Structure formats: C-alpha cells, structure tokens
C-alpha cells in the first residue's frame, strides 16, 4: 500500500503551536497540552455542576439573592457583582458580613443568563445533499487532498460520512469532506 502523501497541520488548541497531527482527532501538540486541556475541562465541568446545584436551590419568588446565587444564575464573577453594587447599578441589601443580597430583577434587566452548554446528543440530525454536483467522487477527493483511495474510504467509514454510488463512482458530500480535511495539506 502506498504511504500517505499528506499531513495534518493544526494549531494546538491549548498552546497555539502549529504541529503535525497524527490523526484527524489530534487537537493538541503534546501529552502535556492534552493533560492541561483535560484538567481545564474537568475543572470547568465541576464548577458548572456546583453552579447548577446552587441554582436549583434558588427559590422562585425571592428577589434578593446571594452573590453565589447570582454567580450561578448569570455566570459572572462575585467581583463583577460587587462592583455593580458599589457603583449603584444594581440594588442590594447587606444582612451582615459576607451576607450581601442582590436584586435578581435588577440583574435580569442588565445581564444575560449564564450560557448553558448545548447538549449535542440532542441536536438535530444533519441533512446532506447527495446530488452529484454537491459531491466529490472518491478519486476527486484523493487527488484534491493527496490522500490515497483506501485511506479516503477508511476515513469515510470511520467518520460515518454518507456516500452514494452511481455506476462505478462513489460520491461523498463536498461540505463534509472539506470539513474533514480542512487541516490536511499535501506534501
Ligand atoms: Zn500545545
């Protein structure tokens, strides 16, 4: 089998360095960056879970909420909330040391609610055009990206890219293929 005449050049999503990705799924330049990104994601998830837990205990009818509750609701830092209180942008009451309560309705009128992560498992199915004019043949893909036919077939199966056969030709949607190989360069 001929060796691949292509490489995948990517920017490391952690440190920004350009590196040669070993596979289409490689997004980091090194083990250290993979680990760093993993730790970051884990910390973010934990923080999100904590905020979700706090949020679920905020009673609906109460306007004055704690700074921690406001953080959980709006995803802004306690520092920012305190600054808004200090400058008089939002009304607050002080029930004692570290017992500041801030007006939920005032914040609602100024700050968007915290972003909740999109659940991709529930996203709508994609629709592809498999009309020949919207597709490449396997041969065209191979030529365009410098990847041999069998590797193209392997990727198509691996990434579940839809195909259509007309006569002797197998077609795959241009949009999916361009996206799959966007970082691939011929060498
Ligand atoms: Zn890196």
């Amino acid at each position: 089998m001929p060796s691949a005449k292509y490489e995948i050049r990517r920017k490391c999503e952690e440190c920004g360095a350009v590196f040669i990705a070993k596979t289409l799924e490689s997004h980091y330049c090194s083990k250290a960056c993979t680990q760093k990104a993993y730790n970051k994601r884990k910390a973010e998830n934990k923080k999100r879970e904590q905020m979700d837990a706090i949020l679920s205990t905020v009673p609906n009818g109460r306007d004055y909420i704690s700074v921690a509750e406001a953080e959980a609701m709006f995803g802004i830092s306690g520092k920012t909330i305190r600054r808004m209180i200090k400058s008089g942008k939002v009304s607050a009451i002080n029930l004692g040391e570290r017992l500041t309560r801030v007006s939920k309705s005032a914040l609602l009128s100024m700050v968007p609610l915290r972003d909740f992560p999109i659940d991709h498992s529930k996203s709508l199915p994609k629709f592809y055009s498999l009309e020949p004019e919207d597709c490449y043949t396997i041969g065209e893909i191979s030529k365009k990206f410098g990847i041999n036919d069998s590797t193209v077939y392997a990727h198509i199966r691996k990434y579940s890219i839809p195909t259509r056969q007309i006569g002797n030709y197998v077609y795959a949607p241009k949009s999916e293929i361009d996206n799959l190989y966007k970082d691939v360069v011929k060498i």
Side-chain angles (χ1 to χ4, degrees), residues 11-17 19 27-30 32-34 36:
K11 234 184 191 175
C12 173
E13 287 176 18
E14 183 58 32
C15 74
F19 70 106
H27 297 283
Y28 305 103
C29 71
S30 61
C33 278
T34 305
K36 235 191 250 173

Side-chain angles (χ1 to χ4, degrees), residues 123-148:
S123 61
L124 291 168
K126 270 194 187 178
F127 293 98
Y128 309 96
S129 165
L130 284 168
E131 291 308 312
E133 63 267 26
D134 298 320
C135 290
Y136 296 123
T137 64
I138 302 304
E140 283 169 345
I141 298 167
S142 173
K143 208 184 264 175
K144 180 168 182 186
F145 298 99
I147 299 169
N148 63 52

Side-chain angles (χ1 to χ4, degrees), residues 6-10 21 23-27 126 128 136 138 141-142 144-145 147-163 172-185:
Y6 70 98
E7 60 187 23
I8 305 158
R9 278 192 204 143
R10 274 204 183 132
T23 73
L24 287 165
E25 288 106 346
S26 310
H27 297 283
K126 270 194 187 178
Y128 309 96
Y136 296 123
I138 302 304
I141 298 167
S142 173
K144 180 168 182 186
F145 298 99
I147 299 169
N148 63 52
D149 288 24
S150 54
T151 307
V152 173
Y153 277 116
H155 286 159
I156 282 174
R157 273 197 303 274
K158 186 170 177 189
Y159 297 97
S160 306
I161 291 172
T163 55
K174 281 179 183 169
S175 57
E176 292 306 294
I177 296 297
D178 284 338
N179 185 45
L180 181 68
Y181 292 134
K182 62 182 185 300
D183 305 317
V184 167
V185 288

